[in-house]
Amino acid sequence: MNTLNSTHEPSLTSWIESANSKETDFPIQNLPFCVFQLLDQPPAIGVGIGDQILNLRTCAELGLLSDQFNDAASQTTLNAVMAMSPADRTLLRARLSELLANGTTADKSVIEKSLVFQANANLLMPCHVGDYTDFYASIYHATNVGTMFRPTNPLLPNYKHIPIGYHGRASSVVVSGTSFHRPVGQLSPTEEGGIPTRGPCKLLDYELEVAMFVAQGNELGNSISIADAEDHIFGMSLLNDWSARDIQKWEYQPLGPFLAKSFATTISPWIVTLEALAPFRCREFARPEGDPQPLDYLHSDENSSSGGVDMKLEVFLCSEKMNQQGIEPVKLSSGNFTNMYWTIAQLLTHHSSNGCNMQSGDMLGSGTVSGLTRDSRGSLLELTWDGASDNPVPGSQRTPITLPTGEERKFLGDGDEVILKGYCESDSHRRIGFGTCKGKILPAKVEA
Amino acid sequence: MNTLNSTHEPSLTSWIESANSKETDFPIQNLPFCVFQLLDQPPAIGVGIGDQILNLRTCAELGLLSDQFNDAASQTTLNAVMAMSPADRTLLRARLSELLANGTTADKSVIEKSLVFQANANLLMPCHVGDYTDFYASIYHATNVGTMFRPTNPLLPNYKHIPIGYHGRASSVVVSGTSFHRPVGQLSPTEEGGIPTRGPCKLLDYELEVAMFVAQGNELGNSISIADAEDHIFGMSLLNDWSARDIQKWEYQPLGPFLAKSFATTISPWIVTLEALAPFRCREFARPEGDPQPLDYLHSDENSSSGGVDMKLEVFLCSEKMNQQGIEPVKLSSGNFTNMYWTIAQLLTHHSSNGCNMQSGDMLGSGTVSGLTRDSRGSLLELTWDGASDNPVPGSQRTPITLPTGEERKFLGDGDEVILKGYCESDSHRRIGFGTCKGKILPAKVEA
């Protein structure tokens, strides 16, 4: 899957001029998948190209694709495309690249009938997410959070041996641009043995994550080997795992996060394929040389040599006041997906290693992507170091954030919009962007 | 929803004789829903009646139902029936009761064309389970497990205030009769700081639970009030939450159970509606008078007066050797669903209280149903009191189980079949049975 082919050739350009701009997220080397909708029309599958979308259903209708792809290309979700064999996915990508490349032998006037401007399209959930699993794969995040709650013992003994993960709520995964209300929930009693209260979350946070989507699945009782794992990953998007820290603190023992997370999880609408990411695969990830080797089922040489993805990740915030005053969103942090302790292949292989059946469209979250330095921490909990806690950890450096309006943030306020961005870039290859993942917080609903 | 009407009348009998037997799980007062399949035919929705199934699609085709039900009745899963309004569900139930009752005014020779023998049908998953959530609602189970792992502090401070739950894996929910392989997974290092091993689970357990299925759902951002909650519950079935105790012990900190549960969860094929259970609703559940009152959003007078369900639950085991020698399964325990600390309405209301959207067909597990006495403990972990632990809790009474063949069980062996049964009965009403929930353990797959 990771071998470079002509679709990655940096000199390849498109006859769609906006795709040739150095700044675009969507050059012809990317071709990320999406599901979009035009007014009064049914949803359709597309790929992003510059500032436009190539409508795959229209392509199928116009005879631009090989017949074998017509059914999958005409669906209203990506699940059928995801379920195709790796070889077919490669064929489809090559054909789409061919249609959009300068010098295409296809009739451009026909292809143009399949193009729509992104500005005119409503981007929808890209696929039906059957199951959503969230991992905890950044050792810096795990160490930061562990230090706040267990200063003497931040990293649990299992962390370096087993990719820690838990099941998330699939129904409340929403696409970028969906606003949601601040959740209401039970909050800890103020004194030991006291009665909890119920009210709007006071410690609302984001978590910067990357999502992986399952391509072909496995039957219940089988597992996906580490050597095969990447063939089973269709692509990646950005994910914001909104977290109600106060609700979480009270509810999560002994069975893990529940209502603190299930009110909303936002993903970006574009799924960037592993094929598009091939030039940015790297050795680097956050498992130092001296650390224990993964057990055999999680180990492969290929995985070690190119298990990482050199993907830059950024978080921006825009408060309502900033928005009203026309102030641009401020950058809160920037990190890199190489800060993962576990590779994407290891996450998928571990997940299926007990025979659990993965299905096309299932979503695996990486867990918060945090790096070693303060400016690469992927949540407010870490950035402000438990900033709003009534009982801060002794010795902790509480560092609230001041916005350009003079507003202070320890956690998120009503009207705040959080914007995630992600992109891969290098001197030798075209930029591969993920677009944006946005979500805005509406005030809590007043209860009857 | 809970008011009794003519469909519960104990004197009501069916012209299908097997439904009038005192022993049947499926008298005309029950009419549990299922999805079944005959050889070479597509799946169909049905209701159980004595030893037969009334095929709802055929009923629709023959004009036996009101037109408004024809679409939902003709589907291959129950999700559309579940999504109907409570009033429509009541109407449909009344019509099915009318068709099958002695003295029906419908043409029995037509109805007979819609009947198939259960013995000839293959029972399938009753619905598409979008999300599966597992609760921890038996205080006796929570106390037993807590005592083993935290002898001085068995019940955490949140337990009596918040219904503890976590997200489960939906893809691996299977219907009764599905065999599965013993899972393989990471097992704790034998010494502190050591390297874990990987191998077949040694401490495989069942958990006796009850499943609830969501009827109409709620939009993301809304919640379901405690007063409305039971209108949103379609019905109940039996659930076996298979658990790999050794895998769980190593993986579950800090985010909860993951691969220890996701290899298989078995449900019984029949969904008994809340309407059928109405005569067995009761005051009794396991929250003693002196305990803290639930917070307002979880409190209602109606809920207190009839929040419980007087439902008897039994667990049977049949080893491969017993099966070969023709020995009947042995009963391991019998409990009652009144041993829940939280009512089914409280579980659903709490789940949606943060705005999490519930969808028709979503499944909520009760958590292991254990009672106060040893013979009502709903898992081997509790029955044998951590029987296979290398380091038993000081003072614990380890009590392995001896089978009629002389075999001993601390946890489940290969070839063991676990059978759950459930039923409601009283002097004044017909028995309402849940059928059985069976699953058999195949040996772990040898890995390449």
Side-chain angles (χ1 to χ4, degrees):
Chain A
M1 285 291 287
N2 287 341
T3 49
L4 299 189
N5 58 37
S6 62
T7 63
H8 303 100
E9 178 52 55
S11 65
L12 190 67
T13 55
S14 174
W15 52 270
I16 296 169
E17 267 313 312
S18 60
N20 302 326
S21 146
K22 276 206 163 177
E23 287 73 43
T24 185
D25 271 355
F26 305 144
I28 191 168
Q29 288 79 1
N30 192 349
L31 303 180
F33 282 90
C34 71
V35 170
F36 71 98
Q37 188 163 29
L38 299 178
L39 205 64
D40 300 330
Q41 289 184 28
I45 292 172
V47 292
I49 178 77
D51 59 1
Q52 300 190 49
I53 300 171
L54 182 70
N55 182 334
L56 265 62
R57 183 193 292 133
T58 316
C59 286
E61 287 165 0
L62 296 172
L64 294 169
L65 304 179
S66 168
D67 285 352
Q68 65 174 314
F69 299 130
N70 285 353
D71 184 49
S74 304
Q75 304 295 315
T76 56
T77 68
L78 282 167
N79 297 71
V81 170
M82 292 167 155
M84 295 184 340
S85 72
D88 280 347
R89 298 199 319 259
T90 301
L91 269 182
L92 177 60
R93 173 177 166 83
R95 176 60 180 162
L96 297 175
S97 178
E98 196 175 78
L99 290 175
L100 295 167
N102 261 323
T104 182
T105 56
D107 182 344
K108 281 198 268 185
S109 68
V110 177
I111 302 171
E112 273 168 347
K113 293 179 186 160
S114 300
L115 288 168
V116 298
F117 281 99
Q118 287 164 28
N120 297 335
N122 192 16
L123 293 167
L124 307 180
M125 274 289 289
C127 62
H128 170 73
V129 176
D131 274 290
Y132 157 42
T133 301
D134 202 21
F135 284 93
Y136 195 57
S138 156
I139 195 168
Y140 304 114
H141 172 68
T143 305
N144 285 339
V145 173
T147 302
M148 284 177 232
F149 295 106
R150 296 176 304 272
T152 56
N153 180 29
L155 210 59
L156 294 171
N158 55 13
Y159 191 85
K160 293 186 175 184
H161 300 284
I162 193 164
I164 298 293
Y166 67 102
H167 306 296
R169 178 80 191 178
S171 72
S172 54
V173 177
V174 297
V175 75
S176 178
T178 309
S179 301
F180 60 90
H181 293 275
R182 177 180 295 273
V184 170
Q186 284 198 26
L187 312 173
S188 302
T190 50
E191 54 193 44
E192 210 179 298
I195 302 290
T197 55
R198 184 162 192 265
C201 164
K202 292 174 189 163
L203 312 183
L204 188 58
D205 204 352
Y206 61 82
E207 290 192 341
L208 166 66
E209 300 197 17
V210 171
M212 288 141 269
F213 293 87
V214 173
Q216 285 182 308
N218 61 298
E219 292 293 318
L220 188 66
N222 291 341
S223 55
I224 297 172
S225 72
I226 189 76
D228 292 341
E230 291 207 355
D231 276 350
H232 290 266
I233 300 176
F234 179 75
M236 293 160 68
S237 74
L238 304 169
L239 185 155
N240 187 337
D241 179 29
W242 306 97
S243 298
R245 302 293 179 198
D246 39 5
I247 295 174
Q248 185 172 353
K249 189 178 165 195
W250 174 237
E251 75 171 3
Y252 94 109
Q253 288 285 14
L255 298 179
F258 182 41
L259 301 193
K261 305 270 195 175
S262 64
F263 55 92
T265 303
T266 306
I267 59 170
S268 55
W270 304 99
I271 303 187
V272 176
T273 63
L274 279 207
E275 292 173 295
L277 294 170
F280 301 93
R281 303 307 299 272
C282 58
R283 161 70 186 91
E284 286 74 35
F285 39 89
R287 181 187 285 271
E289 289 291 337
D291 271 16
Q293 278 297 305
L295 293 185
D296 281 351
Y297 77 107
L298 294 177
H299 181 78
S300 83
D301 290 338
E302 189 186 42
N303 191 42
S304 307
S305 62
S306 61
V309 185
D310 181 9
M311 171 180 174
K312 296 179 177 63
L313 295 161
E314 298 173 337
V315 183
F316 297 82
L317 177 70
C318 188
S319 72
E320 196 153 31
K321 207 168 179 180
M322 288 169 67
N323 187 35
Q324 284 162 356
Q325 297 182 10
I327 301 172
E328 291 289 302
V330 286
K331 192 190 287 190
L332 298 184
S333 69
S334 52
N336 195 301
F337 196 55
T338 52
N339 281 318
M340 297 284 100
Y341 194 79
W342 298 100
T343 66
I344 56 175
Q346 286 171 329
L347 299 182
L348 182 65
T349 291
H350 179 64
H351 201 331
S352 71
S353 65
N354 66 342
C356 179
N357 53 329
M358 312 303 298
Q359 299 182 319
S360 302
D362 284 350
M363 186 171 91
L364 279 60
S366 62
T368 308
V369 182
S370 289
L372 193 56
T373 57
R374 179 171 188 278
D375 65 356
S376 62
R377 294 178 188 160
S379 69
L380 283 174
L381 178 72
E382 293 165 271
L383 273 177
T384 70
W385 206 256
D386 203 16
S389 167
D390 293 332
N391 299 299
V393 175
S396 71
Q397 298 172 298
R398 291 170 59 173
T399 47
I401 289 162
T402 305
L403 302 178
T405 47
E407 297 170 284
E408 194 177 80
R409 285 290 179 275
K410 295 165 176 172
F411 285 91
L412 295 170
D414 289 345
D416 282 0
E417 184 172 51
V418 177
I419 304 137
L420 311 182
K421 294 185 184 175
Y423 54 95
C424 301
E425 59 182 11
S426 76
D427 291 340
S428 52
H429 284 280
R430 289 296 306 275
R431 171 190 170 100
I432 300 291
F434 283 74
T436 58
C437 175
K438 294 185 194 188
K440 190 172 182 171
I441 295 150
L442 307 175
K445 282 193 180 175
V446 178
E447 306 227 303
Chain B
M1 285 291 289
N2 287 341
T3 49
L4 299 189
N5 60 36
S6 62
T7 64
H8 304 101
E9 178 51 56
S11 64
L12 191 66
T13 53
S14 173
W15 52 269
I16 295 169
E17 267 314 312
S18 60
N20 302 325
S21 146
K22 277 205 161 176
E23 286 74 41
T24 185
D25 270 355
F26 305 145
I28 191 168
Q29 288 79 1
N30 193 349
L31 303 179
F33 282 90
C34 71
V35 170
F36 70 97
Q37 189 163 27
L38 299 179
L39 204 64
D40 299 330
Q41 289 185 27
I45 292 171
V47 291
I49 178 76
D51 59 2
Q52 301 190 51
I53 300 171
L54 182 69
N55 182 334
L56 264 62
R57 182 192 293 134
T58 316
C59 285
E61 287 166 359
L62 296 173
L64 293 169
L65 304 179
S66 168
D67 285 352
Q68 65 174 314
F69 299 129
N70 285 352
D71 185 50
S74 303
Q75 304 295 315
T76 55
T77 67
L78 282 167
N79 297 70
V81 170
M82 291 167 155
M84 295 185 340
S85 71
D88 280 349
R89 298 197 321 258
T90 302
L91 269 181
L92 177 60
R93 175 178 164 83
R95 176 59 179 165
L96 298 175
S97 179
E98 196 174 79
L99 290 175
L100 295 167
N102 261 322
T104 182
T105 55
D107 183 343
K108 281 197 269 185
S109 69
V110 177
I111 303 171
E112 274 168 347
K113 293 178 185 162
S114 300
L115 288 169
V116 298
F117 281 99
Q118 287 164 29
N120 297 334
N122 192 16
L123 293 166
L124 307 180
M125 273 289 290
C127 61
H128 169 73
V129 176
D131 274 290
Y132 157 42
T133 301
D134 201 22
F135 284 92
Y136 195 57
S138 157
I139 194 168
Y140 303 113
H141 172 68
T143 305
N144 284 339
V145 173
T147 302
M148 284 177 231
F149 295 107
R150 297 176 303 273
T152 56
N153 181 28
L155 210 60
L156 293 170
N158 55 13
Y159 191 86
K160 293 187 174 182
H161 300 286
I162 194 165
I164 298 294
Y166 67 102
H167 306 295
R169 178 81 192 177
S171 72
S172 53
V173 177
V174 297
V175 74
S176 178
T178 309
S179 301
F180 60 90
H181 293 274
R182 176 180 297 272
V184 170
Q186 283 198 27
L187 312 174
S188 301
T190 48
E191 54 194 43
E192 211 178 297
I195 303 290
T197 54
R198 183 160 191 265
C201 165
K202 291 174 189 164
L203 312 184
L204 187 57
D205 204 352
Y206 61 82
E207 290 192 341
L208 166 66
E209 300 197 16
V210 171
M212 288 141 270
F213 293 87
V214 173
Q216 284 182 309
N218 61 298
E219 292 294 318
L220 188 67
N222 291 342
S223 55
I224 296 172
S225 72
I226 189 76
D228 291 343
E230 291 208 354
D231 276 351
H232 291 264
I233 300 176
F234 179 75
M236 293 159 68
S237 75
L238 305 169
L239 185 155
N240 188 338
D241 178 29
W242 305 96
S243 297
R245 302 294 178 197
D246 39 5
I247 295 174
Q248 185 172 354
K249 189 178 166 195
W250 174 237
E251 75 169 4
Y252 96 109
Q253 289 286 13
L255 298 179
F258 182 42
L259 301 194
K261 305 270 194 175
S262 64
F263 56 92
T265 303
T266 307
I267 60 170
S268 56
W270 304 99
I271 303 186
V272 176
T273 63
L274 279 206
E275 292 173 293
L277 294 170
F280 301 94
R281 303 306 300 272
C282 58
R283 161 72 186 88
E284 286 75 32
F285 39 89
R287 180 186 285 273
E289 289 292 338
D291 271 16
Q293 278 297 306
L295 292 185
D296 281 351
Y297 77 106
L298 293 177
H299 181 79
S300 84
D301 289 339
E302 189 187 42
N303 191 42
S304 307
S305 63
S306 59
V309 185
D310 181 9
M311 171 180 175
K312 294 177 179 64
L313 295 160
E314 298 172 337
V315 183
F316 297 82
L317 177 70
C318 188
S319 72
E320 196 155 31
K321 206 168 179 180
M322 288 169 66
N323 186 36
Q324 284 162 355
Q325 298 183 8
I327 300 172
E328 291 289 302
V330 286
K331 192 190 284 189
L332 297 185
S333 70
S334 52
N336 196 301
F337 196 56
T338 52
N339 281 319
M340 298 283 100
Y341 194 78
W342 298 99
T343 67
I344 56 175
Q346 286 171 329
L347 299 182
L348 183 64
T349 291
H350 179 64
H351 201 330
S352 72
S353 66
N354 66 341
C356 179
N357 53 329
M358 312 302 298
Q359 300 182 318
S360 303
D362 284 350
M363 186 171 90
L364 279 61
S366 62
T368 308
V369 183
S370 289
L372 193 55
T373 56
R374 180 171 187 279
D375 65 358
S376 62
R377 294 178 190 160
S379 68
L380 282 174
L381 178 72
E382 293 164 89
L383 272 178
T384 70
W385 206 257
D386 203 16
S389 167
D390 292 331
N391 300 299
V393 175
S396 72
Q397 299 171 298
R398 291 170 58 173
T399 47
I401 289 162
T402 305
L403 302 178
T405 48
E407 297 170 284
E408 193 177 79
R409 284 290 178 274
K410 295 163 175 173
F411 286 92
L412 296 170
D414 288 345
D416 283 0
E417 184 172 52
V418 178
I419 304 137
L420 311 183
K421 294 184 183 175
Y423 54 95
C424 302
E425 59 181 11
S426 76
D427 291 341
S428 51
H429 283 281
R430 290 296 305 273
R431 171 189 171 101
I432 299 291
F434 283 73
T436 58
C437 176
K438 294 185 194 187
K440 190 171 182 171
I441 296 150
L442 307 174
K445 282 192 181 176
V446 179
E447 305 226 305

